[in-house]
Amino acid sequence: MNDAVITKISGPLVVASGMKQANMFDVVRVSELGLLGEIIEMHGDKASIQVYEETSGLKTGEKVVSTYEPLSVELGPGLIGNIFDGIQRPLTEIMKVAGNNLTRGINVPALDRERQWVFEPNVEIGERVYGGDVIGYVQETDVVRHKIMLSPKLGGIIKEITGGTCTAEDVVAIVIDEKGVEHGVGITQKWPVRVPRPYKKKLSPDRPLVTGQRVVDSLFPIAKGGVAAIPGPFGSGKTVTQHQLAKWADADIVVYIGCGERGNEMTDVLNEFPELIDPHTGKSLMERTVLIANTSDMPVAAREASIYTGITIAEYFRDMGYNVALMADSTSRWAEALREMSGRLEEMPGEEGYPAYLGSRLAQFYERAGRVISLGRDGREGSLSVIGAVSPAGGDISEPVSQATLRIVKVFWGLDSALAYKRHFPAINWLTSYSLYANSLGKWFNENINEEWTSLRGKIISLLSDEAQLEEMVKLVGMDALSWGDRLKMEAARSIREDFLHQLAFHEVDTYTSASKQYMMMKLVTEYYEKSKEALDKGMDIETIVKLPVREKIGRFKYVKEEDTEKDFGEIINMLTEELSLEGGEADA
Amino acid sequence: MPKEYRTISEVAGPLMLVKSVEGVAYNELGEIELKNGERRRCKVLEINGTDVLVQLFESSAGINLADSKIRFLGKQMELAVSEDMLGRVFDGLGRPIDGGPSIIPEKRMDVGGVPMNPAARRYPQEFIQTGISAIDGLNTLVRGQKLPIFSASGLPHAELAAQIARQAKVRGTDEEFAVVFAAMGITFEESDYFVQSFKETGAIDRTVMFSNLANDPAIERIATPKMALTAAEYLAFDKGMHVLVILTDITNYADALREVSAARKEVPGRRGYPGYMYTDLASIYERAGRQEGKKGSITLIPILTMPEDDKTHPIPDLTGYITEGQIILSRELHRKGVVPPIDVLPSLSRLKDKGIGEGKTRADHSGTMNQLFSAYARGKDCKELMVILGEAALTDIDKLYAEFADAFEKEYVSQGSETDRSVEETLDIGWKLLSILPRSELRRISDEFLDKYYIEK
């Protein structure tokens, strides 16, 4: 193997000869610098290698050494709150070693080797354990109790197990398998990123991932274990939406992958999350978050890997029985990385230069989401929800990445630049977006929040679609030509848009709305319509209805703090009834 | 003395194939010597066994397969940097062309740049007052941001960029600043406009200029922005200055990139541009920013002309996906005589939210900004309706919105290229305009500020 040398260099692609012994997808070390790479194609004794670091300065004839291992991630305590690059190198540690810029060939282990953890055993000596069993716990952060699971491939009798302080490399238990071989088990394990982690059984999602974003939860909800896509042109708010979901979704663990996006966005998350308080746990949001960053100036090959690194970490937490949400921003950059490597390999291109296997790769990725019963005796139920941003070229979703994504996902939040220009955020278009979970999750909302939920949702959707039709008409004949009933519909729809759907991410109260407050808001805007319609029938003037003083109250309800909502809600409903009947009385007289 | 090769076997466009080469590194810089002793620079693009594909940075005219020699310099493309660069003019490859002496380098920096560790970035949040209402009030620029100007042929982007360079300041500070200006494929006149404008304010002594004009080799442009950003990195992160980088015109740069890609017979992406253009542009734009523990900053304003005024063209499209917003110029406003003709609705500054508000600009900034946007958007809709159906078709409130939209363009956006407004002036003009509308319409502003600033009629 020592005679393996570089014979060709073309950007991130390196070809080496003398690689007969190596396996497909082995990780290799390239050149004296020891740059990390992965074998992606073999021809005779030549292997094509995608190199995860900048290849400038490499020469032909430099050595290539295979590690005979597939690209893997380290899983164990220390993941939470950390930021890793696309191949799981800890960026804050690297900064200490190498300064502010990412120089090459740095070798820092993913998980801190020095840090001490307290391990509490969960099984006893002599006990029979199976793959996936929880053999103990480590309290990783205030929020996350890290379950130390036996590798899915291992099983047998516990020979020894010791609690107390340990580090990432220490052996805490010894397991004897059926062949009588002893295996030392630590609190960390490795798993190849391209292989989905096994589970016992997959289930259909049945509970919502409550995100605190009104247009999402009320109109287009996503289930725990569901998959969603957010396509949109630049400037339509993909990243802000992703950040909002990462902040407020009621998941136990959030994995955020910044794939080929801006460096400052990751910095923003790093600055902001530690200071934000999770409404569900009362602790800092960073205590449940793992960040993967391959910013757009970082090597393109590692971009391809970053998605897999992220989802493998997410699956690991899912296996512990947690509800995990993964945000990938943006899958288009991942697809472009795939395209670039495919081009360098001189493969026959499919649509728009993307490789023919784009669709199947995307499907494989999204299919790793879901609600599952994990391996192990206690039958833990965990879920992994995946939310992928898509950046279609020119904002036109007829391009291959968007289309391949739409074939897979169940929830589609279509961002609209026209809404963004009006600064209507989140700019999720209510006419084109959809959620295939809406019916099944509607039941949950009816049972757990309010039995009117689905009917209110139905009213809102029908008002909004009526508005779109009426708007066409207004463009032709003007507002005056509409009947009063239709004008009221337009007003009510405007109120839905402005007072309910519009939500400011940067407003301290408005940024998150609990499901019960969402119910009240839906009730208010629909109640305005229904009560006004009655008043209109009794002969009240449309101009009076449009100018009701209570409307300002309805408009400001979104800024009412959660603890005051009950009181204010009741008051506004009373006010609404009073104003309409009182003025209606005058009109009658 | 590096080994010389006389084995150039093919020249096609900006590419050259050299045979039987040994020990050459990927991305290494090379030098071609012509028969008459003239030297030209190139870099290694691909190595396959002993065949080396190189890309020229200058024209291939006069290269002779038999007599030309090539040697590889054992280093990558570098820029000699020192503080003496301020006030000097260089060509697109970083050689002085102002007749002055060559730079005595303090050090030599690899122009390729090294990606910044996202954990080492400092989030940009210092408000830069440009004195232009449409930017300060609605699409606020902050230190370390990359904010391109999307223009089109015939629109006054040069005036706008020069105005920003002239007026930009961070209030309450008096720190060292510098301007790095890179001209790529623009005309002498346009480039001279910038020079004159820098001279007027005296900024010329603090300007480093890289000039690749329309009649210079197109392929040289591929290196120009990298040169400029290397100089900027040196001034910002080694010397602690606040650097404003203006790159104009990115469209010419992208076309040069396409030329190389086409010569390599790569599978083209949209409109013939290479599939890696996103990554390539990102490696330029992402060099802007601030770093932990460093005093300086790089604020980047690339200018690009949108072919056919089309925002979905790959160059503006990919740029918009990388940069932190965009300032879009509109032909329609230009025709109406609005100066600067900034179309505020599709324009955006992604970093504005953390750069404005109490202590930075004024507490009411955020609310009024959102209100102005939504009111102007509605006003424009109303005006459109008015064109089709006549004024009578509008409701009373819609008439007010239409009035607002007109006043907004005339008073807020159109301020002329000489006016330098403080952010308070900008905000006050905003309030004056919002007072055209009844108070109940201003739902995006909290009561506290309405009480304080709203002008009742």
Side-chain angles (χ1 to χ4, degrees):
Chain A
M1 253 315 285
N2 289 338
D3 49 356
V5 290
I6 301 176
T7 59
K8 178 182 172 178
I9 308 156
S10 168
L13 180 79
V14 164
V15 178
S17 65
M19 299 288 291
K20 220 161 203 139
Q21 308 287 316
N23 312 306
M24 269 297 270
F25 294 110
D26 273 358
V27 169
V28 294
R29 292 276 178 182
V30 178
S31 93
E32 305 299 329
L33 291 168
L35 305 185
L36 267 183
E38 187 181 13
I39 298 177
I40 50 171
E41 215 174 73
M42 310 267 278
H43 294 283
D45 77 334
K46 287 194 170 171
S48 300
I49 299 161
Q50 63 172 347
V51 181
Y52 292 127
E53 294 174 79
E54 172 60 44
T55 51
S56 287
L58 292 192
K59 294 178 177 177
T60 53
E62 287 192 78
K63 67 169 185 180
V64 176
V65 181
S66 174
T67 61
Y68 298 101
E69 272 185 11
L71 184 65
S72 304
V73 286
E74 279 186 1
L75 302 168
L79 288 169
I80 302 286
N82 223 329
I83 177 167
F84 300 101
D85 77 353
I87 45 175
Q88 212 205 4
R89 285 180 302 188
L91 287 169
T92 28
E93 288 303 311
I94 288 183
M95 190 177 143
K96 286 179 203 156
V97 181
N100 286 353
N101 292 88
L102 292 166
T103 40
R104 294 183 293 170
I106 305 165
N107 215 346
V108 183
L111 298 176
D112 193 342
R113 295 289 184 262
E114 309 290 312
R115 195 157 161 195
Q116 302 248 321
W117 300 100
V118 178
F119 175 71
E120 315 159 40
N122 182 44
V123 289
E124 281 161 21
I125 294 171
E127 201 173 326
R128 173 164 283 280
V129 287
Y130 301 87
D133 271 354
V134 176
I135 59 163
Y137 302 96
V138 165
Q139 193 69 39
E140 185 172 354
T141 66
D142 285 346
V143 181
V144 179
R145 194 165 159 82
H146 199 112
K147 296 174 186 162
I148 306 299
M149 296 172 291
L150 205 56
S151 160
K153 295 172 191 158
L154 203 61
I157 310 279
I158 297 278
K159 186 187 166 204
E160 263 178 47
I161 186 156
T162 34
T165 54
C166 61
T167 64
E169 283 175 315
D170 291 345
V171 170
V172 295
I174 292 172
V175 176
I176 307 177
D177 68 11
E178 48 274 33
K179 289 177 194 146
V181 183
E182 293 191 1
H183 298 269
V185 176
I187 55 170
T188 57
Q189 52 179 288
K190 276 194 149 193
W191 193 263
V193 296
R194 295 185 197 277
V195 182
R197 283 178 63 89
Y199 47 80
K200 202 178 276 170
K201 195 175 162 198
K202 208 162 200 173
L203 307 168
S204 283
D206 63 347
R207 279 172 155 245
L209 182 74
V210 180
T211 63
Q213 308 305 303
R214 297 191 285 265
V215 61
V216 171
D217 293 345
S218 307
L219 299 189
F220 311 109
I222 175 173
K224 287 201 170 88
V227 281
I230 319 181
F234 64 83
S236 57
K238 278 184 301 300
T239 303
V240 178
T241 311
Q242 289 270 37
H243 279 196
Q244 284 297 95
L245 297 176
K247 281 176 198 166
W248 307 121
D250 66 338
D252 302 311
I253 305 286
V254 169
V255 178
Y256 193 96
I257 310 171
C259 175
E261 292 289 306
R262 305 173 187 87
N264 278 332
E265 285 169 2
M266 299 315 290
T267 317
D268 192 21
V269 175
L270 278 176
N271 289 344
E272 200 178 15
F273 277 34
E275 281 166 23
L276 289 172
I277 300 299
D278 181 353
H280 310 288
T281 62
K283 300 285 181 186
S284 144
L285 278 174
M286 206 61 198
E287 295 200 5
R288 62 163 201 186
T289 310
V290 184
L291 297 173
I292 311 286
N294 176 284
T295 57
S296 57
D297 55 342
M298 281 156 79
V300 71
R303 195 161 305 160
E304 195 266 338
S306 64
I307 291 272
Y308 295 106
T309 300
I311 202 157
T312 309
I313 293 173
E315 281 177 338
Y316 172 68
F317 284 105
R318 172 205 69 190
D319 288 347
M320 290 182 205
Y322 288 126
N323 292 309
V324 184
L326 176 132
M327 283 85 194
D329 184 13
S330 147
T331 56
S332 293
R333 305 300 162 224
W334 169 80
E336 281 165 12
L338 216 57
R339 172 168 73 182
E340 186 168 341
M341 290 316 295
S342 163
R344 305 246 185 212
L345 289 168
E346 290 165 13
E347 291 174 339
M348 185 66 85
E351 230 178 314
E352 289 191 17
Y354 287 104
Y357 45 79
L358 171 70
S360 60
R361 289 275 175 91
L362 265 173
Q364 279 165 7
F365 166 71
Y366 280 108
E367 197 51 26
R368 288 172 78 166
R371 185 166 73 104
V372 303
I373 302 284
S374 318
L375 294 178
R377 286 170 296 171
D378 54 351
R380 300 175 303 273
E381 189 188 311
S383 72
L384 169 52
S385 322
V386 174
I387 298 160
V390 185
S391 319
D396 175 8
I397 62 161
S398 66
E399 54 92 41
V401 183
S402 304
Q403 286 305 311
T405 307
L406 289 182
R407 284 205 299 275
I408 309 158
V409 299
K410 300 281 190 299
V411 183
F412 168 72
W413 296 314
L415 295 176
D416 186 340
S417 52
L419 288 175
Y421 295 167
K422 291 180 188 163
R423 300 310 191 258
H424 176 102
F425 287 115
I428 296 174
N429 184 314
W430 45 86
L431 299 171
T432 55
S433 302
Y434 58 80
S435 163
L436 299 182
Y437 300 119
N439 288 334
S440 59
L441 297 180
K443 259 182 243 146
W444 186 92
F445 282 111
N446 282 351
E447 283 160 18
N448 292 280
I449 306 297
N450 193 294
E451 72 273 6
E452 279 184 291
W453 187 281
T454 42
S455 77
L456 291 180
R457 175 179 184 269
K459 282 177 194 166
I460 284 181
I461 287 187
S462 89
L463 272 172
L464 287 170
S465 70
D466 285 352
E467 184 200 27
Q469 286 180 356
L470 289 170
E471 239 165 27
E472 291 297 311
M473 212 142 87
V474 170
K475 275 186 196 146
L476 293 175
V477 296
M479 192 64 111
D480 283 348
L482 291 188
S483 71
W484 280 9
D486 284 345
R487 269 201 68 186
L488 177 63
K489 265 189 188 166
M490 295 278 288
E491 276 303 321
R494 187 159 84 93
S495 167
I496 291 172
R497 283 190 281 113
E498 291 180 6
D499 305 335
F500 178 62
L501 295 179
H502 178 79
Q503 187 169 6
L504 275 178
F506 299 97
H507 190 283
E508 160 195 24
V509 178
D510 202 23
T511 183
Y512 171 82
T513 310
S514 69
S516 55
K517 184 175 169 191
Q518 290 189 33
Y519 157 74
M520 291 181 216
M521 295 180 75
M522 287 205 281
K523 182 76 181 168
L524 284 180
V525 288
T526 48
E527 200 70 0
Y528 166 73
Y529 175 67
E530 311 233 300
K531 287 260 165 68
S532 303
K533 208 165 87 182
E534 276 170 35
L536 206 61
D537 289 342
K538 282 188 196 146
M540 190 185 253
D541 186 69
I542 182 75
E543 292 297 335
T544 326
I545 292 175
V546 170
K547 287 183 187 146
L548 285 187
V550 72
R551 294 195 65 195
E552 204 179 324
K553 288 261 181 207
I554 298 177
R556 296 201 180 279
F557 189 70
K558 57 168 103 164
Y559 306 122
V560 174
K561 292 205 177 92
E562 292 283 342
E563 57 265 29
D564 301 331
T565 47
E566 289 284 346
K567 187 174 83 62
D568 283 33
F569 174 69
E571 279 173 14
I572 296 175
I573 290 279
N574 287 340
M575 227 177 126
L576 181 68
T577 324
E578 251 169 56
E579 282 179 15
L580 282 167
S581 57
L582 180 79
E583 309 239 359
E586 279 173 3
D588 280 345
Chain B
M1 190 62 193
K3 205 168 163 184
E4 282 186 345
Y5 296 95
R6 286 174 179 273
T7 46
I8 300 172
S9 70
E10 276 176 41
V11 183
L15 301 182
M16 228 168 57
L17 188 70
V18 191
K19 297 250 183 203
S20 323
V21 180
E22 278 168 5
V24 166
Y26 178 67
N27 255 346
E28 189 173 333
L29 194 66
E31 198 173 57
I32 302 149
E33 193 178 322
L34 268 56
K35 203 179 168 186
N36 60 9
E38 196 186 324
R39 287 175 183 193
R40 292 189 191 156
R41 286 209 253 180
C42 60
K43 77 163 186 186
V44 176
L45 218 51
E46 191 175 304
I47 311 171
N48 195 354
T50 56
D51 292 355
V52 172
L53 184 73
V54 300
Q55 176 213 314
L56 289 160
F57 282 112
E58 287 155 272
S59 126
S60 56
I63 292 182
N64 178 320
L65 296 189
D67 300 322
S68 303
K69 293 178 283 193
I70 179 165
R71 58 180 165 266
F72 295 95
L73 304 177
K75 58 176 187 188
Q76 291 168 35
M77 192 167 238
E78 288 174 337
L79 181 70
V81 290
S82 110
E83 268 188 86
D84 298 335
M85 295 177 88
L86 291 169
R88 299 290 305 273
V89 185
F90 303 87
D91 74 356
L93 291 175
R95 294 171 294 213
I97 49 168
D98 52 0
S102 36
I103 296 291
I104 298 164
E106 186 185 310
K107 66 174 182 178
R108 293 179 181 276
M109 288 171 76
D110 186 344
V111 299
V114 191
M116 226 188 273
N117 186 335
R121 279 183 187 267
R122 212 158 93 214
Y123 197 75
Q125 43 194 353
E126 263 179 297
F127 167 67
I128 295 182
Q129 181 179 299
T130 64
I132 300 165
S133 295
I135 296 178
D136 290 350
L138 302 173
N139 298 292
T140 318
L141 177 70
V142 295
R143 248 185 199 169
Q145 185 172 14
K146 36 190 180 291
L147 187 66
I149 298 174
F150 286 11
S151 181
S153 23
L155 297 182
H157 47 263
E159 282 84 343
L160 178 62
Q163 190 178 6
I164 295 174
R166 223 167 36 228
Q167 300 178 354
K169 55 184 156 296
V170 171
R171 297 198 307 174
T173 59
D174 191 21
E175 286 158 316
E176 272 199 299
F177 78 100
V179 178
V180 174
F181 178 76
M184 292 170 282
I186 59 171
T187 58
F188 168 78
E189 274 172 60
E190 196 170 341
S191 163
D192 192 51
Y193 176 83
F194 279 100
V195 174
Q196 293 309 328
S197 145
F198 295 148
K199 270 189 186 151
E200 274 167 34
T201 54
I204 193 81
D205 295 334
R206 305 210 55 84
T207 300
V208 185
M209 202 164 153
F210 293 88
S211 173
N212 167 284
L213 298 183
N215 57 350
D216 291 326
I219 214 73
E220 188 182 288
R221 274 160 221 164
I222 291 195
T224 311
K226 298 191 174 78
M227 293 286 165
L229 283 157
T230 306
E233 277 170 0
Y234 166 76
L235 294 173
F237 302 133
D238 282 16
K239 295 291 157 192
M241 294 180 197
H242 293 285
V243 186
L244 177 71
V245 182
I246 299 176
L247 304 176
T248 176
D249 178 328
I250 291 291
T251 307
N252 296 330
Y253 169 80
D255 285 348
L257 207 62
R258 176 165 69 174
E259 195 180 327
V260 175
S261 169
R264 288 186 76 179
K265 302 192 172 62
E266 289 171 333
V267 179
R270 282 173 74 217
R271 300 222 184 177
Y273 292 96
Y276 50 80
M277 193 160 83
Y278 178 84
T279 311
D280 191 278
L281 288 175
S283 71
I284 295 173
Y285 298 145
E286 277 288 316
R287 289 169 78 170
R290 310 204 63 174
Q291 292 187 1
E292 276 308 331
K294 299 281 170 79
K295 211 174 116 220
S297 65
I298 300 180
T299 309
L300 177 62
I301 302 190
I303 299 173
L304 57 89
T305 47
M306 299 181 281
E308 298 163 43
D309 298 12
D310 178 10
K311 197 159 64 91
T312 66
H313 184 282
I315 301 169
D317 190 50
L318 295 180
T319 299
Y321 275 122
I322 306 163
T323 52
E324 285 142 349
Q326 66 277 335
I327 302 292
I328 297 189
L329 300 188
S330 141
R331 199 172 292 281
E332 192 197 326
L333 290 177
H334 183 56
R335 262 191 227 121
K336 279 191 197 164
V338 173
V339 182
I342 298 175
D343 191 354
V344 298
L345 294 182
S347 297
L348 169 73
S349 162
R350 291 168 192 268
L351 304 183
K352 61 178 185 302
D353 297 286
K354 299 217 166 103
I356 62 175
E358 188 91 68
K360 286 169 177 157
T361 55
R362 209 164 74 184
D364 58 316
H365 195 155
S366 168
T368 48
M369 176 178 75
N370 284 319
Q371 192 68 61
L372 284 168
F373 272 124
S374 77
Y376 180 54
R378 183 156 170 202
K380 272 186 88 169
D381 284 349
C382 295
K383 279 177 63 185
E384 230 170 77
L385 208 63
M386 212 158 85
V387 172
I388 308 170
L389 300 166
E391 202 176 333
L394 297 187
T395 59
D396 291 342
I397 190 81
D398 283 351
K399 278 179 199 149
L400 287 177
Y401 272 105
E403 185 191 331
F404 169 85
D406 278 331
F408 177 80
E409 285 172 12
K410 213 176 289 163
E411 293 178 41
Y412 196 90
V413 182
S414 189
Q415 64 180 77
S417 59
E418 297 299 327
T419 318
D420 186 358
R421 286 181 187 158
S422 74
V423 69
E424 286 79 12
E425 280 174 70
T426 294
L427 290 170
D428 290 342
I429 296 172
W431 276 108
K432 189 182 131 211
L433 294 169
L434 286 174
S435 302
I436 295 175
L437 302 169
R439 183 175 160 144
S440 59
E441 285 292 312
L442 308 181
R443 292 190 205 175
R444 296 195 181 178
I445 307 179
S446 69
D447 280 325
E448 180 194 340
F449 300 125
L450 282 171
D451 291 342
K452 194 164 169 193
Y453 297 105
Y454 182 74
I455 309 157
E456 294 278 355
K457 281 194 203 117

